[in-house]
Amino acid sequence: MTEIYPIGGGKGGVGKSFIAASLGALIAKWGHNVVVIDLDLGASNLHTLLGMKSPKLGLNHYIDKTVRGLESTAVPTMIPNLFFISSMHCSMEIANLLHAHKLKIISAIQKLPFDYILLDLGTGTNFNTLDFFLTSKEGILVGTPEPTSIENFFRFINAVYFRILKQTLKRSEFHSAVKDAVTEISGATAGTHDILKIVSKYHPDKVTDLKNKLSEFKFKLILNQFRKNMDSTLGNKIETVCNRHFHSNFQFLGTIRYDGQIHDAVFSKTLYVHKYPHTQSSSDLKKIAEKITGNRRPTSLPKEIS
Amino acid sequence: MKYFDGLNYYEILKIPENSSFLEIKQAYRDAVSIYSEDSLVTYSLFSTDEREKILKIIEAAFLTLIDGNQRAAYNRILVDSGQSDTTFISGQSQKKSDPVFHPGKAANDDQLAADATKNIQADEEKQLSDEILSKSSVSGKDLKKLREALGVEIHEIHSLTRISVSVLNAIEENRLESLPPDTYLRNFLKLYAEVLQIDPLKIVDGYFKHIYRVQNTD
């Protein structure tokens, strides 16, 4: 069965692309078929973190119908079983993505014949980014152990909730007052709570359904760039708080320790986990990858020890 | 945003219903560190009003569960309202003799993973208790160090064990001349160790060895 993991998180520079490339490489090394897709349209750089030059083939060839299936745009990487779909040559910015194109990409992603599909999303809570995040029923949020980044965790969760509610409430059976409220309230603040309140006024019977809708989505959390002397229980605390105070299920996958060599690897355009497999950070990434795959190894291939 | 709707005091502090004094105390400390104003985790999540409400509930949960009588009354309410079965009320006294720091205590991997938070947090305390347990003799100073690391006050040990504060002080300060007769001392040390959830046998043995050493070096 295919598992799709969008990788998001409001803030830029927290390491979303780095984590997408690393997890993709690790899971592929264990024998699974993996594709990482660069959906940071307009600011693509995932290829660099994968240690390769920008491929000629990309998402744009699927949109402009040069190739028939999205599958054909996946190019091999230096790691066997790991494939890559670039969006380097997509002329459009994410904000300008045509609605029809977006839907076409999402439904094509959901049909890709891989074991694991990792989506590297762009910064921010732009509604196109959120829609890509909602391609799956579960997604990974990446942050760093800094106040601004943790704030963004919550902002992103709220924005995802808002997007889910908005999609649901657009439907005709809801009262126009509810629809007006959704249009008025911006997703940035405590929108979810306010919307649920209004819904409970006009459709008290539908509140539970809406909450269930929110709880269907599962969040996984990663803290990157962790340094010594930081509160090592921070991630678990965030998990506890989110599980208590938001409607969904949250799982903390782990922390990745800071390593200056990561920076060097990016500069020398090499795949970090491949070049430095035995560092603390690589071992942190391995543990996270194991949690994602649940230690499942493909049965068809001989076990590889890495 | 959800709050503590429908959760009982044990669930709010995330502890089992048979939690010991020390577990309640640690759970309270954890909760405050998550919900306090300067907490990195929640400072941006709640308004001042919301935070005050949450902290008030946590405080009420702690004050109720830490007090033997109030806890018993609260447990009865839980049972009467059908939120809990009677199994834990019959064995009313809290569990005491389960030393969390017992070295070599078997635990499966799943449990270890689930307890990861606690383990990391209790790392320093565990190191300290392991260090003390590995010693052949245990001094009053060692006991005091561990008690303080666990954030337990002398008067709290007094109210749980009914050992007088002056005797507790004498034990911690190694004032041999003020210690009660051996049979009493043995029992007191056992109770003291149980509150701190550290292996009572080793503490009693270690302390008597310590006394023996001091007496024979004079």
Side-chain angles (χ1 to χ4, degrees):
Chain A
M1 218 189 80
T2 305
E3 290 185 25
I4 306 174
Y5 290 101
I7 300 175
K11 215 166 161 291
V14 294
K16 287 184 290 293
S17 304
F18 168 72
I19 286 170
S22 307
L23 293 179
L26 289 168
I27 295 172
K29 278 188 180 195
W30 293 333
H32 298 284
N33 268 318
V34 185
V35 62
V36 285
I37 307 178
D38 194 340
L39 286 175
D40 192 354
L41 310 188
S44 313
N45 51 20
L46 186 55
H47 57 273
T48 309
L49 293 154
L50 286 165
M52 60 199 284
K53 286 207 173 103
S54 170
K56 288 201 175 68
L57 210 56
L59 204 55
N60 52 316
H61 294 106
Y62 175 66
I63 296 171
D64 68 18
K65 295 178 183 157
T66 315
V67 298
R68 198 148 10 112
L70 182 59
E71 195 189 335
S72 319
T73 64
V75 297
T77 65
M78 62 191 287
I79 309 285
N81 306 328
L82 179 64
F83 294 83
F84 171 54
I85 296 177
S86 161
S87 63
M88 188 62 176
H89 302 289
C90 286
S91 49
M92 71 282 177
E93 298 271 321
I94 187 111
N96 303 327
L97 186 63
L98 286 175
H99 186 67
H101 285 165
K102 177 173 68 186
L103 296 184
K104 190 180 163 186
I105 294 170
I106 288 176
S107 92
I109 288 172
Q110 287 165 339
K111 287 182 200 122
L112 282 173
F114 288 89
D115 299 327
Y116 291 91
I117 301 171
L118 304 177
L119 311 178
D120 178 24
L121 303 184
T123 306
T125 52
N126 175 298
F127 64 87
N128 283 328
T129 304
L130 293 175
D131 285 345
F132 282 134
F133 195 74
L134 291 169
T135 296
S136 179
K137 284 278 176 216
E138 50 193 343
I140 297 172
L141 287 184
V142 178
T144 58
E146 288 158 348
T148 43
S149 178
I150 293 165
E151 267 180 55
N152 271 298
F153 262 161
F154 301 139
R155 199 167 298 154
F156 196 90
I157 296 163
N158 273 322
V160 168
Y161 278 4
F162 188 77
R163 191 74 188 154
I164 295 173
L165 288 177
K166 200 169 177 179
Q167 302 270 11
T168 314
L169 296 174
K170 252 190 339 205
R171 294 202 308 255
S172 55
E173 69 258 34
F174 286 94
H175 195 277
S176 63
V178 177
K179 287 177 190 167
D180 290 349
V182 174
T183 323
E184 261 172 50
I185 301 168
S186 88
T189 49
T192 310
H193 187 66
D194 298 335
I195 292 173
L196 287 176
K197 232 178 183 171
I198 295 164
V199 174
S200 70
K201 198 165 142 195
Y202 293 94
H203 310 276
D205 51 318
K206 291 215 168 77
V207 177
T208 318
D209 284 355
L210 280 178
K211 283 185 181 170
N212 288 341
K213 198 127 219 160
L214 298 178
S215 66
E216 272 170 23
F217 196 87
K218 290 190 177 125
F219 290 89
K220 297 180 186 293
L221 312 170
I222 293 175
L223 284 179
N224 191 23
Q225 296 167 22
F226 217 79
R227 290 170 197 260
K228 275 184 198 162
N229 308 326
M230 279 174 168
D231 176 6
S232 55
T233 63
L234 184 63
N236 300 89
K237 284 178 181 164
I238 296 173
E239 178 193 75
T240 299
V241 164
C242 287
N243 275 320
R244 281 212 149 152
H245 302 294
F246 288 101
H247 299 275
S248 325
N249 177 275
F250 291 80
Q251 185 197 6
F252 175 56
L253 292 178
T255 52
I256 300 163
R257 257 153 290 189
Y258 175 83
D259 178 2
Q261 279 175 320
I262 294 174
H263 187 76
D264 299 341
V266 175
F267 264 71
S268 59
K269 302 184 187 67
T270 46
L271 181 52
Y272 174 80
V273 281
H274 188 61
K275 194 173 181 192
Y276 305 101
H278 302 297
T279 58
Q280 191 63 62
S281 307
S282 285
S283 122
D284 290 341
L285 282 159
K286 228 173 267 178
K287 275 183 211 149
I288 290 171
E290 275 168 5
K291 274 196 185 169
I292 290 172
T293 59
N295 269 327
R296 281 187 302 277
R297 303 282 162 109
T299 41
S300 54
L301 286 156
K303 252 187 212 167
E304 190 182 336
I305 299 143
S306 63
Chain B
M1 193 75 49
K2 300 186 295 178
Y3 298 99
F4 295 136
D5 319 351
L7 298 185
N8 70 37
Y9 284 167
Y10 293 99
E11 290 163 341
I12 286 169
L13 292 179
K14 294 189 76 137
I15 46 174
E17 288 176 347
N18 65 348
S19 290
S20 69
F21 161 82
L22 202 60
E23 284 164 339
I24 296 169
K25 232 177 133 80
Q26 277 166 345
Y28 174 67
R29 214 165 43 178
D30 290 350
V32 169
S33 87
I34 286 180
Y35 290 103
S36 69
E37 202 178 353
D38 53 0
S39 157
L40 183 56
V41 185
T42 61
Y43 81 95
S44 65
L45 195 57
F46 301 111
S47 68
T48 313
D49 276 1
E50 289 170 328
R51 184 182 309 284
E52 271 174 20
K53 250 188 252 166
I54 287 171
L55 284 171
K56 234 181 215 167
I57 297 170
I58 290 171
E59 182 107 6
F62 172 67
L63 290 175
T64 305
L65 299 187
I66 207 72
D67 180 294
N69 293 332
Q70 285 193 48
R71 184 174 176 184
Y74 183 74
N75 286 349
R76 210 154 297 132
I77 295 172
L78 286 187
V79 172
D80 289 347
S81 62
Q83 284 187 64
S84 182
D85 56 38
T86 46
T87 46
F88 80 101
I89 219 169
S90 49
Q92 186 49 60
S93 64
Q94 311 149 15
K95 75 168 180 194
K96 268 180 185 164
S97 49
D98 180 20
V100 282
F101 299 131
H102 198 299
K105 188 184 172 190
N108 62 39
D109 282 357
D110 282 353
Q111 203 179 335
L112 280 179
D115 291 348
T117 332
K118 259 192 179 160
N119 284 347
I120 297 164
Q121 205 244 346
D123 240 16
E124 261 172 62
E125 294 154 14
K126 185 166 164 23
Q127 244 174 32
L128 192 59
S129 70
D130 280 351
E131 197 185 304
I132 290 169
L133 285 175
S134 68
K135 284 183 175 182
S136 63
S137 81
V138 177
S139 73
K141 254 191 205 151
D142 293 330
L143 295 177
K144 188 177 180 187
K145 225 161 106 190
L146 181 63
R147 175 179 63 75
E148 285 176 345
L150 292 168
V152 178
E153 305 287 333
I154 274 271
H155 72 82
E156 288 174 324
I157 297 199
H158 159 70
S159 65
L160 284 165
T161 62
R162 293 283 137 206
I163 306 170
S164 79
V165 173
S166 64
V167 170
L168 288 168
N169 278 327
I171 291 174
E172 288 191 350
E173 287 158 18
N174 299 315
R175 282 189 278 109
L176 304 191
E177 69 285 357
S178 313
L179 291 177
D182 283 2
T183 21
Y184 286 97
L185 180 60
R186 201 173 289 278
N187 194 35
F188 288 172
L189 286 168
K190 192 173 152 262
L191 291 170
Y192 185 105
E194 279 172 355
V195 173
L196 300 187
Q197 288 182 250
I198 183 166
D199 191 348
L201 279 177
K202 289 208 169 169
I203 294 303
V204 174
D205 274 4
Y207 198 81
F208 274 94
K209 268 186 197 144
H210 173 74
I211 295 175
Y212 180 81
R213 263 184 210 177
V214 172
Q215 282 169 341
N216 287 286
T217 43
D218 280 350

